[in-house]
């Protein structure tokens, strides 16, 4: 599987290592965000130094665990393991000590046995494991009611969908290769969707999150991908679950105005990327001396200062 | 020690601007106009008579009173800036104008003002116009100027047509429309003539039909004829044919919450287990000779 293929295609089971390979000329939603909100120089650095950022942090591991608990709950317990609260200290570094005492030997044995029984599993702290499991359960149990008293739970919806579906396509206007990876996709019902773990899933808070994290641009990017790949979707909901008890769930869909704005911002970002690629220039925040103004709040107390 | 050079005397002699003077002049002018308006009040009867005569002077003048604009995938028509100018002029005793008042990010804001000096009532109307193209790219300076002028004209028209009560000018507009568009009795000849005009301007019948959202000439009614007059005016104003007759692209927005609702219904219908086929009511067996229902053990 190569990103260089010039096909517009929706693929399943694309390995993470392939999908998450960063290339300057392949636009992902995350990459466009960096290019547009920070600078082309930041984007270039992000592409060329994949190991230097924080992606491999506990946050990302937790995110994957939460996705697994929600979308593939049966696999969750086999992929992730939690260290028992009564686990002894990890003393395996004293394995070659001259005269290890019996407690040390017992601890080493316990760790060897534990590791042997958890080969290939990803270890989470007990708190993170429980949190991911509760969030997943809450999302799956979330009940939506539609006109005609039709009920649908998150679990029913997720189970009907393919997970982690990958899209590769070429943007018609700029000729830039694009990629996206949707959490859920149901081709038959023309659905895509994304899971979000949030601090506050309320209307106002999530509307702010949409702007802050450019979820409306994500909606546009994915929507364009589905359309170009010949499978336009009719709905792209965001399923948000709060990170703290009682792990309240909310489902939101951006309206037409937000969607239009998302398309405009994405277009701007792609044109910026096209210009950078054509000129092979990756400028930072400025390329010449520029004048700046202060934000409005800097002038709020102007009158008081003079008084 | 060298003393700094004295500034030239001429520079000192320039009087500093008295910022109170201009408003005072303006106020005196308006006061004068108000006094004149009260001395020579308008006659509504004369206004209607004069403006109706003007707008129906000839077909060209009547056509200039109509404009067209795309709205919600259709082309609709309405009173134009030229019509508003005729109304304001004939109504008299007023001041009106339009100007660009702000540039707000991707938009330009224009304000139209209409001041009835006789009634001392004023109406302002703001119009916002986007100055970015569909890809979010900002227009160049010339295009921003053109867009600003267009916005100012539209704002002025809207201010005039709100300042002068609609009850006064509706019949005048109808008269202009009657002359420009015709009526049912002249429709057949009028639409042939209109399509002929567009053909000469390099616009095919198919382009016209697509723009109006009709299948053919037979579907062009009075409302479509009015829109055609507006489109004709746009071409006359120098707007390129490919712009005037561009068929509006469907909006990019393509997803909605309703999509999930539809999917939920479809999903539930799909899951619903097929109703067990009702066992056909068993017809009891009868004695072929007598027709009597046989006892259960013989069924």
């Amino acid at each position: 599987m190569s990103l260089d293929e010039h096909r517009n295609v929706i693929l399943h089971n694309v390995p993470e290592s392939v999908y998450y390979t960063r290339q300057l000329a392949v636009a992902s939603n995350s990459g466009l965000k960096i290019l547009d909100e920070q600078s082309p120089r930041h984007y270039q650095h992000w592409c060329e130094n994949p190991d230097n950022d924080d992606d491999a942090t506990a946050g990302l591991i937790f995110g994957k665990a939460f996705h697994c608990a929600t979308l593939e709950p049966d696999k969750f317990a086999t992929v992730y393991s939690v260290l028992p609260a009564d686990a002894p200290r990890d003393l395996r570094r004293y394995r070659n000590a001259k005269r290890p005492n019996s407690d040390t030997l017992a601890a080493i044995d316990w760790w060897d046995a534990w590791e042997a029984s958890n080969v290939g599993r990803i270890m989470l702290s007990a708190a993170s494991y429980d949190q991911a499991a509760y969030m997943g359960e809450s999302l799956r149990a979330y009940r939506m009611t539609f006109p005609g008293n039709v009920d649908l739970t998150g679990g029913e919806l997720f189970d009907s969908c393919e997970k982690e579906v990958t899209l590769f396509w070429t943007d018609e206007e700029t000729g830039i290769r694009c990629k996206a990876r949707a959490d859920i996709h149901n081709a038959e019902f023309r659905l895509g969707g994304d899971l979000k773990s949030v601090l506050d899933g309320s209307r106002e808070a999530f509307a702010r999150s949409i702007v802050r994290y450019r979820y409306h641009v994500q909606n546009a990017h994915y929507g364009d991908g589905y359309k170009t790949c010949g499978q336009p979707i009719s709905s792209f909901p965001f399923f948000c679950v709060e990170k703290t008890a009682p792990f309240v769930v909310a489902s939101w869909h951006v309206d037409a105005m937000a969607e239009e704005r998302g398309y405009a911002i994405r277009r701007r970002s792609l044109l910026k990327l096209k210009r950078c690629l054509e000129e092979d220039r990756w400028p930072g925040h400025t390329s010449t001396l520029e004048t700046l103004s202060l934000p409005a709040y800097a002038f709020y107390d102007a009158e008081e200062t003079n008084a | 020690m060298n003393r700094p050079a004295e500034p030239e005397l001429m520079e000192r002699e320039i009087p500093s601007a008295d910022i109170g003077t201009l408003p005072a002049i303006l106020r005196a002018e308006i006061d004068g106009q108000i006094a004149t308006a009260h001395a020579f009040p308008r006659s509504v009867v004369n206004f209607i008579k004069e403006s109706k005569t003007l707008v129906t002077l000839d077909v060209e003048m009547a056509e200039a009173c109509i404009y067209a604009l795309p709205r919600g995938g259709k082309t609709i028509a309405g009173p134009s800036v030229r019509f508003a100018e005729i109304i304001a002029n004939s109504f008299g005793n007023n001041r009106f104008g339009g100007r660009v008042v702000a540039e707000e990010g991707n938009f330009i804001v224009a304000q139209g003002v209409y001041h009835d000096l006789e009634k001392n009532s004023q109406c302002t109307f703001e119009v916002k116009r986007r100055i970015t193209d569909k890809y979010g790219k900002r227009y160049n300076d010339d295009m921003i100027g053109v867009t600003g002028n267009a916005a100012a004209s539209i704002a002025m028209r809207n201010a005039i047509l709100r300042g002068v009560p609609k009850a006064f000018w509706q019949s005048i507009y109808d008269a202009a429309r009657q002359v420009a568009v015709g009526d049912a009795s002249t429709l057949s000849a009028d639409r042939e003539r209109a399509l002929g005009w567009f053909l000469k301007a390099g616009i095919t019948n198919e382009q016209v039909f697509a723009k109006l959202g009709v299948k053919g000439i037979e579907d062009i009614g009075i409302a479509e004829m009015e829109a055609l007059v507006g489109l004709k005016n746009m071409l006359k104003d120098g707007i390129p044919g490919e712009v005037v007759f561009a068929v509006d692209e469907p909006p990019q927005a393509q997803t909605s919450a309703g999509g999930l609702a539809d999917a939920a219904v479809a999903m539930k219908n799909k899951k619903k287990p097929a109703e067990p086929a009702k066992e056909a009511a068993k017809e009891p067996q009868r004695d072929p000779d007598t027709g009597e229902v046989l006892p259960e053990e013989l069924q």
Side-chain angles (χ1 to χ4, degrees):
Chain A
M1 179 62 49
S2 163
L3 297 185
D4 295 330
E5 289 178 42
H6 285 272
R7 286 186 301 144
N8 300 328
V9 64
I10 297 178
L11 298 169
H12 310 280
N13 305 320
V14 174
E16 285 188 359
S17 57
V18 173
Y19 177 76
Y20 288 108
T21 301
R22 297 176 191 172
Q23 292 181 30
L24 280 173
V26 180
S28 66
N29 183 52
S30 318
L32 289 178
K33 181 174 185 289
I34 294 169
L35 178 95
D36 202 33
E37 288 195 337
Q38 293 182 276
S39 76
R41 179 74 192 92
H42 287 89
Y43 173 70
Q44 187 193 32
H45 180 81
W46 179 78
C47 286
E48 293 176 354
N49 300 277
D51 301 327
N52 284 8
D53 58 26
D54 299 331
D55 270 10
T57 59
L60 188 72
I61 294 171
F62 176 76
K64 285 181 181 173
F66 149 60
H67 273 64
C68 183
T70 308
L71 301 176
E72 299 164 302
D74 298 340
K75 275 173 69 179
F76 182 65
T78 59
V79 174
Y80 294 91
S81 58
V82 61
L83 198 61
D86 58 353
R89 280 177 62 205
D90 186 359
L91 301 174
R92 285 175 290 178
R93 60 185 179 280
Y94 300 120
R95 192 188 298 275
N96 297 323
K98 282 183 183 172
R99 281 193 296 276
N101 65 29
S102 57
D103 287 348
T104 304
L105 287 173
I108 291 170
D109 288 345
W110 188 93
W111 274 95
D112 284 345
W114 194 83
E115 201 167 73
S117 62
N118 287 282
V119 173
R121 288 185 177 185
I122 301 165
M123 195 165 63
L124 292 176
S125 69
S128 293
Y129 187 95
D130 289 346
Q131 189 185 11
Y134 287 140
M135 286 165 71
E137 279 172 24
S138 187
L139 260 170
R140 292 186 65 82
Y142 174 58
R143 183 172 295 279
M144 294 168 278
T145 303
F146 297 104
N149 283 330
V150 175
D151 283 346
L152 185 71
T153 64
E156 287 172 326
L157 175 66
F158 304 146
D159 291 345
S160 76
C161 293
E162 306 218 52
K163 286 91 185 175
E164 306 290 353
V165 177
T166 302
L167 297 89
F168 291 117
W169 74 101
T170 302
D171 179 66
E172 281 177 21
E173 191 200 344
T174 58
I176 290 177
R177 200 76 183 131
C178 298
K179 65 175 181 178
R181 197 166 168 102
D183 288 344
I184 54 171
H185 175 227
N186 186 319
E188 184 184 356
F189 300 121
R190 298 175 57 217
L191 287 178
D194 208 49
L195 310 182
K196 301 286 183 201
S197 59
V198 296
L199 288 173
D200 183 347
S202 67
R203 178 183 292 275
E204 191 185 337
F206 193 65
R208 285 173 189 277
S209 294
I210 288 176
V211 178
R212 172 70 189 87
Y213 301 109
R214 305 199 344 160
Y215 294 153
H216 54 328
V217 183
Q218 180 190 2
N219 173 74
H221 188 69
Y222 285 47
D224 192 58
Y226 279 116
K227 195 176 167 190
T228 311
C229 290
Q231 292 190 26
I233 47 169
S234 63
S235 197
F236 192 84
F238 292 102
F239 295 98
C240 316
V241 56
E242 293 180 348
K243 291 176 181 174
T244 51
F247 306 102
V248 171
V249 174
S251 48
W252 298 110
H253 197 293
V254 295
D255 67 6
M257 268 178 73
E259 191 171 50
E260 194 182 331
R261 180 81 187 125
Y263 271 89
I265 294 173
R266 175 176 177 269
R267 185 56 45 198
R268 178 182 74 194
S269 310
L270 280 173
L271 287 170
K272 202 183 273 189
L273 177 58
K274 186 186 179 202
R275 204 163 53 245
C276 291
L277 287 167
E278 282 171 353
E279 299 172 4
D280 194 23
R281 279 185 66 240
W282 304 92
H285 299 298
T286 61
S287 305
T288 183
L289 181 62
E290 293 188 15
T291 307
L292 64 77
S293 186
L294 300 181
Y297 64 79
F299 299 97
Y300 288 168
D301 62 351
E303 293 298 319
E304 291 164 23
T305 312
N306 292 336
Chain B
M1 188 176 161
N2 290 335
R3 291 180 64 186
E6 287 280 323
E8 284 182 35
L9 192 59
M10 208 175 75
E11 281 187 15
R12 287 193 194 168
E13 281 183 338
I14 295 172
S16 61
D18 179 357
I19 53 163
T21 311
L22 281 175
I25 293 172
L26 195 63
R27 188 172 174 177
E29 275 180 4
I30 295 172
D31 284 347
Q33 286 175 319
I34 288 174
T36 310
H38 285 160
F40 302 100
R42 69 172 65 92
S43 154
V44 172
V45 175
N46 285 346
F47 153 67
I48 293 174
K49 205 168 145 187
E50 184 186 334
S51 51
K52 206 171 265 184
T53 308
L54 278 172
V55 300
T56 57
L57 205 58
D58 54 33
V59 176
E60 287 239 318
M61 182 73 97
E63 284 182 345
C65 292
I66 297 171
Y67 84 106
L69 85 163
R71 186 59 42 92
K74 289 195 163 190
T75 303
I76 62 165
S80 68
V81 178
R82 301 288 91 79
F83 176 77
E85 285 168 353
I86 291 172
I87 292 297
N89 185 275
S90 305
F91 203 54
N93 288 341
N94 54 36
R95 294 158 51 84
F96 58 91
R99 62 199 164 204
V100 173
V101 290
E103 201 179 309
E104 296 173 352
N106 293 336
F107 293 90
I108 206 159
V109 183
Q111 188 187 55
V113 183
Y114 176 84
H115 181 188
D116 188 324
L117 299 161
E118 195 180 314
K119 302 287 181 191
N120 199 22
S121 73
Q122 182 164 315
C123 173
T124 61
F125 195 94
E126 286 196 357
V127 165
K128 234 177 175 182
R129 281 289 177 275
R130 187 179 285 280
I131 49 173
T132 53
D133 62 18
K134 64 179 176 179
Y135 302 118
K137 195 178 167 193
R138 193 178 164 84
Y139 289 166
N140 62 31
D141 289 348
D142 279 350
M143 272 303 290
I144 291 176
V146 170
T147 308
N149 288 342
S153 291
I154 293 164
M156 184 185 80
R157 177 198 66 197
N158 292 353
I160 292 172
L161 295 181
R162 274 167 180 72
V164 179
K166 191 175 182 182
F168 289 171
W169 59 258
Q170 183 63 58
S171 63
I172 300 162
Y173 179 68
D174 290 342
R177 191 168 52 181
Q178 166 78 24
V179 171
V181 178
D183 56 24
S185 63
T186 62
L187 182 62
S188 179
D190 287 342
R191 59 192 181 196
E192 290 280 356
R193 196 167 49 245
L195 289 178
W197 188 94
F198 282 111
L199 273 176
K200 279 185 199 161
I203 310 295
T204 64
N205 288 354
E206 286 66 34
Q207 280 176 288
V208 175
F209 298 152
K211 185 69 184 173
L212 295 177
V214 297
K215 285 180 183 164
I217 190 168
E218 296 302 323
D219 293 331
I220 298 179
I222 299 289
E224 286 78 17
M225 278 301 295
E226 194 180 353
L228 276 184
V229 171
L231 294 169
K232 190 174 166 184
N233 282 336
M234 289 170 82
L235 288 177
K236 280 183 175 174
D237 285 345
I239 303 173
E242 60 268 26
V243 174
V244 175
F245 282 88
V247 178
D248 303 325
E249 286 179 17
Q252 260 179 320
Q254 51 192 315
T255 61
S256 68
L260 180 59
D262 293 343
V265 173
M267 239 176 254
K268 287 288 170 177
N269 287 339
K270 200 177 168 188
K271 272 189 181 172
K272 213 178 270 179
E275 290 210 359
K278 280 182 187 168
E279 210 173 314
K282 216 173 178 181
E283 186 68 21
Q285 289 197 18
R286 295 170 186 270
D287 185 314
D289 297 328
T290 62
E292 279 176 342
V293 175
L294 293 172
E296 207 166 286
E297 58 271 19
L298 294 177
Q299 290 280 332

